[in-house]
Amino acid sequence: MPLPSAGPPWVLDRKDLGLLLASLRSSGYRVIGPRVRDGAILYGEVKEEGELPIGWRDRQEAGTYRLERSEDLRVFDFHLGPQGWKPYLFPPHHLLWTARKDGGTFRVEAGATTDGGPLAFLGVRACEVAALRVSERVFEGGVPDPTFRDRRAALLIIAVECSSSAPTCFCPSMRTGPEVTQGFDIVLRELFSPWGHRFLIEAGTDRGRELLQPLPLRAAAEEDLADLEAQRQRVREGIHRALPVEEARGVILANLEHPRWEEVGRRCLACSNCTMVCPTCFCSTTEEVPSLSGEETQRYRRWDSCFGLGFTQLHASSVRSSISSRYRQWMSHKLATWWDQFGSSGCVGCGRCITWCPVGIDLTEEFAALRTKAASTGAKAGGVPA
Amino acid sequence: MRSPRPDLLGELREHPFLRGMDPGFLKAIEGATQERSFGTGDLVIREGEAAKEMLLVQHGKIGLELVAPDRPRLSLLTVGPGEIVGWSWLIPPHLWLSDGRALKPTRILAIDGATLRAALEDRPKDAYQFMLRLVPVISRRLQIARIQVMDIHGV
Amino acid sequence: MGSETAAPPGSHEGGASPWAPTPYRVVERAQETADTATLALEPVEPAPPPGFVPGQFHMLYAPDIGEAAISISGATSDPRRRVHTIRSAGRVTDALTKARVGDVVGVRGPYGRGWPLREAEGKDLLLVVGGLGLPPLRPVLYEVLAHRDRFRRVEIAYGARTPKDLVYYDEIQAWRTRKDLRFQVTVDRAGVDWYGDVGIVSQRIPDMRFDPSSAVAFLCGPEIMMRGSAQALVDRGMSRSSVYVSMERNMKCGFGQCGHCQFGPFLLCRDGPVLPYASVERYFALREL
């Protein structure tokens, strides 16, 4: 068969999905994909097709996440679990280096940047592709982070376009989804209709094209493309939350002293869940772990959160002592000052911070409150234009 | 150097605190003005003593100090050329609230407080102008004291 | 932004981890005040350390304890020696101030954007300094004195808590005798053995001698002192973009990746620490930013 190329996509039958997994594994990739664990969909190593969450879907709302059986046996019927791909590129706890005493001085040996061979992410959603690009700007835009750089360089991305949406999604207004249009090696679009259960499959890179070669593919027919169109429309119609990326920075910067920060600060527990589940939050701290023998000491990097009181410790106190100031920092960084620092929005509209907030604080609702009240009290804030 | 025979009216006119005040007002207080010099370490004013004069510093430096029996003498503010010492001459009971010690050879102009109060009483417009100069000095010194209380270098 | 950076920031050539400290030996130590010491460091290995510009900082590593961001306070002209003045204010800085000659500590960097000294050439230069704001400005003074003809009037106002808290005491005495600069010292409070000025440092600004239309000011010290001083300079007619401040926040990495040192749109380790007052004035006014 000819080498599949960009253009009209190919079709992979549902029963042949296992062949894709086998192709990846035989090419030396460790496949990380969705699995059911602890009542949630979490990404982990997938060795065979049966480990995928076939026939599972999630129900999400602000402060709510439930996994349930679905009526059909779609493979990617769920939306997003609590954790994205971040831990695989930016590990939550990671050895940076070991220093050994050496005749009055010390020798530093950098920790391993990778954790075994190259990874293939299977099931990357459009918002997660966007999150990866945001992270690349953070970790590789200036001084490159060796861990992120090495892991990203070896990474294969197999995106899966969403075939439904969660109520917490707001990717269209963030211009990151729901369609997957770029940033993948391979993209799968799961179709389930009277025409059958199958995947539209498309390669975005040469590496992706090579991996498709051994698969039994057929060219997509008109009804496949029609099914996709109908599905995409259903997905978009199901998304009701919005946070317009074009307005975000201007509205936030014009309202840094808005009374809403106080209100949300009274609800926020400063638990830092939102920063832990956010696919782009990158703050970290370091830890020094000397060995008992005193011969060596290890330096670790650990995820940190701007919601912690100690995050802004300066001399005798914390700069951001109130919770409202920490919420303002998180939201204004994500939506506004991220542009200044990294040239993009820090939010991709995945909605995880909404789902996993134990008190159901909704970023889109907070933004709407800033924006509508800004119209009436905006003059007071005296903001900087975007 | 200044002329050996001091031109007190000229000096009053040029002192930053009084610069721009109505000539008639300055004339009214000229006769009640004396010049006075102090050597390093001399007490210029003393806490609790009668504050009979307003002091304009011409040269040198005066340290405003507080003394308590259980601690060393503490200097909290130094006042230099172009600045004034105190407003106790204005406010009853007209007693100085701190010590003032010359920290180097110092020359001041001392204006009799009773004459000054009478001149201000008689000339409300000039008194308003005078207050527009005095209140900022008080305000600035209050702000300095607040920042000193914050102990900004001490955290 | 007019700030300067030694190119490129950091020294991570050869694929070395940007997180790894390089061992430096303490070759000289001076006790400045009861809680503050100056350490002169030289790399243990013969390779010369990367260059720096005044206002940049290092992440100094106290072995087995941790790191702290410390400004470089020595001369840029010294190819090997890296001088730091450190006040004991926590576990790491306490260990660093107690390091003895011969001890080895770690160094990462230099990081950040320094003082835009070139912008001050041909103009009056004002340094308004509070407390431990003097160490990051001392390299500026060294550079200015090495090329004194490039600058017009040079005015320094330095404020400290008490006379006992003044750093670089002997050096300041020497600077004060020079005719080509004016170095004023103010303390917040003093005893009878102090014949200098008492008050706050921004009080010195009204009688500083400079041409507001052709002057550059560098401010370094507690934020409240920089705010008051910047306002006093603006009151005297200086443009907000000719006044520079050096900001301080918690820092873990030094190269814009740990997120700790954010100040509004700025990552201070990368975009600062030196920033024009014109771009931070708005954020100074916001509480708990």
Side-chain angles (χ1 to χ4, degrees), chain B residues 9 13 20-29 123 126:
Chain B
L9 185 58
R13 203 187 301 126
M21 287 293 292
D22 183 77
F25 174 79
L26 296 178
K27 196 86 190 120
I29 60 175
R123 312 170 71 99
D126 293 328

Side-chain angles (χ1 to χ4, degrees), chain B residues 32 51-54 89 94 111-121:
Chain B
K52 294 178 185 157
E53 294 162 327
M54 175 182 183
W89 57 271
H94 308 306
I111 309 168
D112 178 63
T115 310
L116 199 44
R117 289 196 299 271
L120 293 170
E121 192 87 50

Side-chain angles (χ1 to χ4, degrees), chain A residues 73 78 104 121 128 133 140 163 173 209 226 239 244 269 275 294 311 321 344 377:
Chain A
L73 293 176
F78 59 93
F121 289 172
E128 299 183 308
R133 295 170 74 89
E140 300 186 290
S163 53
S173 58
R209 269 183 280 281
I239 297 177
L269 308 175
T275 57
F311 190 80
S321 55
S344 77
T377 63

Side-chain angles (χ1 to χ4, degrees), chain C residues 84-124:
Chain C
H84 300 83
T85 297
I86 307 149
R87 195 176 76 160
S88 166
R91 262 159 39 88
V92 174
T93 49
D94 188 57
L96 288 169
T97 54
K98 290 186 172 125
R100 289 167 303 182
V101 171
D103 286 355
V104 171
V105 300
V107 174
R108 290 197 288 123
Y111 297 118
R113 287 165 170 273
W115 303 103
L117 202 47
R118 215 151 289 143
E119 200 176 304
E121 289 184 8
K123 298 178 183 167
D124 295 333

Side-chain angles (χ1 to χ4, degrees), chain A residues 87-111:
Chain A
Y88 290 95
L89 298 171
F90 169 46
H93 192 230
H94 178 62
L95 177 67
L96 293 172
W97 48 255
T98 303
R100 291 189 179 80
K101 299 274 186 323
D102 180 16
T105 174
F106 59 85
R107 243 175 335 102
V108 178
E109 192 184 300

Side-chain angles (χ1 to χ4, degrees), chain C residues 39-288:
Chain C
L39 303 181
L41 309 174
E42 288 186 4
V44 170
E45 299 297 325
F52 72 97
V53 297
Q56 285 193 301
F57 65 94
H58 280 138
M59 294 301 293
L60 288 194
Y61 169 53
D64 299 342
I65 299 176
E67 289 180 316
I70 308 284
S71 293
I72 308 173
S73 53
T76 53
S77 55
D78 198 318
R80 282 186 70 73
R81 192 166 278 220
R82 295 293 175 262
V83 179
H84 300 83
T85 297
I86 307 149
R87 195 176 76 160
S88 166
R91 262 159 39 88
V92 174
T93 49
D94 188 57
L96 288 169
T97 54
K98 290 186 172 125
R100 289 167 303 182
V101 171
D103 286 355
V104 171
V105 300
V107 174
R108 290 197 288 123
Y111 297 118
R113 287 165 170 273
W115 303 103
L117 202 47
R118 215 151 289 143
E119 200 176 304
E121 289 184 8
K123 298 178 183 167
D124 295 333
L125 175 62
L126 317 174
L127 309 183
V128 185
V129 194
L132 267 214
L134 189 55
L137 278 165
R138 189 168 67 164
V140 167
L141 260 179
Y142 288 151
E143 201 119 325
V144 166
L145 293 177
H147 309 283
R148 184 61 190 86
D149 55 320
R150 294 186 193 163
F151 305 88
R152 291 170 53 193
R153 281 170 291 202
V154 177
E155 287 257 356
I156 301 113
Y158 168 40
R161 191 189 195 194
T162 72
K164 285 194 178 93
D165 296 301
L166 295 167
V167 294
Y168 311 145
Y169 199 91
D170 296 338
E171 229 173 346
I172 291 172
Q173 303 267 44
W175 287 328
R176 281 172 62 86
T177 64
R178 293 182 71 115
K179 297 280 180 276
D180 57 354
L181 57 85
R182 181 153 168 252
F183 198 117
Q184 303 189 74
V185 178
T186 303
V187 295
D188 280 2
R189 51 177 174 272
V192 280
D193 51 350
W194 175 254
Y195 288 82
D197 288 332
V198 180
I200 59 174
V201 70
S202 53
Q203 278 179 274
R204 305 270 64 87
I205 291 171
D207 68 42
M208 279 181 145
R209 297 166 205 147
F210 62 97
D211 172 4
S213 66
S214 179
V216 171
F218 297 164
L219 277 43
C220 194
E223 214 162 293
I224 188 164
M225 164 257 146
M226 293 196 291
R227 266 162 54 193
S229 300
Q231 187 55 52
L233 290 165
V234 170
D235 290 346
R236 284 207 51 191
M238 275 191 76
S239 136
R240 286 168 166 79
S241 53
S242 299
V243 176
Y244 290 83
V245 298
S246 182
M247 299 294 301
E248 185 182 15
R249 285 292 183 272
N250 187 316
M251 289 181 185
K252 299 292 181 201
C253 71
F255 45 90
Q257 272 175 21
C258 77
H260 281 259
C261 65
Q262 288 181 65
F263 181 62
F266 305 108
L267 286 162
L268 291 177
C269 69
R270 184 192 78 179
D271 308 322
V274 175
L275 289 165
Y277 179 56
S279 52
V280 298
E281 182 183 19
R282 163 162 199 247
Y283 303 102
F284 266 156
L286 296 170
R287 304 284 154 81
E288 295 190 73

Side-chain angles (χ1 to χ4, degrees), chain A residues 87-237:
Chain A
Y88 290 95
L89 298 171
F90 169 46
H93 192 230
H94 178 62
L95 177 67
L96 293 172
W97 48 255
T98 303
R100 291 189 179 80
K101 299 274 186 323
D102 180 16
T105 174
F106 59 85
R107 243 175 335 102
V108 178
E109 192 184 300
T113 55
T114 61
D115 180 16
L119 299 180
F121 289 172
L122 170 63
V124 184
R125 306 297 192 171
C127 59
E128 299 183 308
V129 170
L132 209 58
R133 295 170 74 89
V134 172
S135 300
E136 284 166 6
R137 285 168 170 269
V138 171
F139 287 110
E140 300 186 290
V143 174
D145 174 61
T147 301
F148 185 95
R149 179 195 58 203
D150 293 353
R151 291 170 181 232
R152 175 69 187 90
L155 179 65
L156 187 85
I157 296 172
I158 299 148
V160 172
E161 197 169 290
C162 290
S163 53
S164 66
S165 58
T168 44
C169 294
F170 58 101
C171 60
S173 58
M174 273 289 152
R175 313 276 174 234
T176 57
E179 299 85 13
V180 178
T181 55
Q182 54 180 351
F184 54 85
D185 293 286
I186 295 169
V187 59
L188 297 174
R189 298 181 173 105
E190 184 171 23
L191 299 177
F192 192 89
S193 73
W195 306 108
H197 188 179
R198 73 263 187 222
F199 297 93
L200 288 182
I201 189 165
E202 192 185 327
T205 60
D206 288 340
R207 215 156 37 146
R209 269 183 280 281
E210 278 165 38
L211 287 159
L212 296 195
Q213 265 204 320
L215 303 181
L217 304 180
R218 65 168 170 85
E222 217 164 283
E223 58 267 27
D224 297 316
L225 298 178
D227 274 0
L228 176 66
E229 264 331 293
Q231 176 165 292
R232 283 180 161 179
Q233 201 175 328
R234 269 201 313 279
V235 172
R236 278 198 174 258
E237 281 167 359

